[in-house]
Amino acid sequence: MKKLIPFLLIILSGLISGQNIEPVRKTVQKINQTTGFKIKTVPYSYFMDKSEVTDNGIELKGFYKNGELKKIEHFVGLSAWNIVTEYFFSENHQLVFVHSTKYQTVDENGYLKKPQKLSELRCYYENDRLIKSVGAFNTDEKTDYLKESQNLKNDLKNYNH
């Protein structure tokens, strides 16, 4: 019985943390169903001025509703692939979800007409803490999405068009 208790606690904690993503899903769904966003776009030239240069550009979009940032879309175009990352924010401005997709744009025959999805990653957050991630990128580097979301929020604030 003594050996069984830690095992049950592990199972219970797994069930509890698994349930934490439902509020995140609801928040993301609500944001995705929202219409009439005011969209602020930060062009590639802004990132070039910061010496952030890629082969096929960078674009940042902030989606605002009633003056509140709800979602960020970040596009990074590299030589053979593109990475599109979406950041979703809760009512209290905290990062709750990140969806990042990597697309291959070039193969041995040249540029692809339709980019191929290489990998996909979903990260769920609660109180600025990663609670679950699904999928993986075929890369060695790990992105700190909490830090990255703050940097992108600052870029949106600092860009004046």
Side-chain angles (χ1 to χ4, degrees):
M1 185 68 181
K2 285 184 180 177
K3 289 182 182 177
L4 188 60
I5 290 173
F7 177 72
L8 289 173
L9 288 174
I10 291 168
I11 289 175
L12 281 173
S13 68
L15 290 172
I16 291 167
S17 68
Q19 292 170 339
N20 285 345
I21 66 169
E22 200 49 43
V24 172
R25 282 191 178 142
K26 285 183 175 154
T27 299
V28 170
Q29 185 177 25
K30 182 179 174 189
I31 291 169
N32 280 334
Q33 291 171 347
T34 301
T35 59
F37 281 113
K38 181 179 184 291
I39 300 171
K40 181 176 185 178
T41 301
V42 180
Y44 186 38
S45 57
Y46 169 87
F47 295 99
M48 288 172 66
D49 290 345
K50 290 177 55 180
S51 299
E52 292 180 33
V53 182
T54 65
D55 299 348
N56 293 308
I58 299 173
E59 187 178 72
L60 175 63
K61 289 183 179 179
F63 293 77
Y64 296 85
K65 190 71 178 186
N66 303 322
E68 305 275 327
L69 180 64
K70 297 296 181 184
K71 178 180 166 182
I72 291 175
E73 281 182 10
H74 187 226
F75 168 89
V76 179
L78 303 168
S79 52
W81 58 82
N82 295 332
I83 299 172
V84 179
T85 306
E86 296 175 297
Y87 300 82
F88 293 83
F89 301 94
S90 67
E91 295 292 325
N92 60 357
H93 316 289
Q94 286 189 318
L95 180 66
V96 292
F97 183 69
V98 173
H99 180 228
S100 195
T101 311
K102 187 177 194 177
Y103 298 94
Q104 181 178 342
T105 56
V106 176
D107 66 10
E108 62 278 355
N109 301 318
Y111 278 95
L112 299 169
K113 283 188 172 110
K114 187 173 192 284
Q116 306 275 320
K117 187 190 295 185
L118 286 177
S119 53
E120 191 171 13
L121 180 65
R122 289 177 169 84
C123 299
Y124 298 83
Y125 293 86
E126 185 178 70
N127 297 322
D128 290 334
R129 193 172 55 84
L130 179 66
I131 56 172
K132 182 175 185 169
S133 80
V134 178
F137 269 171
N138 50 359
T139 179
D140 292 336
E141 61 185 70
K142 292 262 185 245
T143 302
D144 180 345
Y145 290 111
L146 281 166
K147 184 177 176 192
E148 188 67 15
S149 71
Q150 290 305 316
N151 293 340
L152 295 173
K153 279 181 178 181
N154 287 335
D155 288 333
L156 283 165
K157 246 183 250 166
N158 296 333
Y159 175 70
N160 296 312
H161 48 101

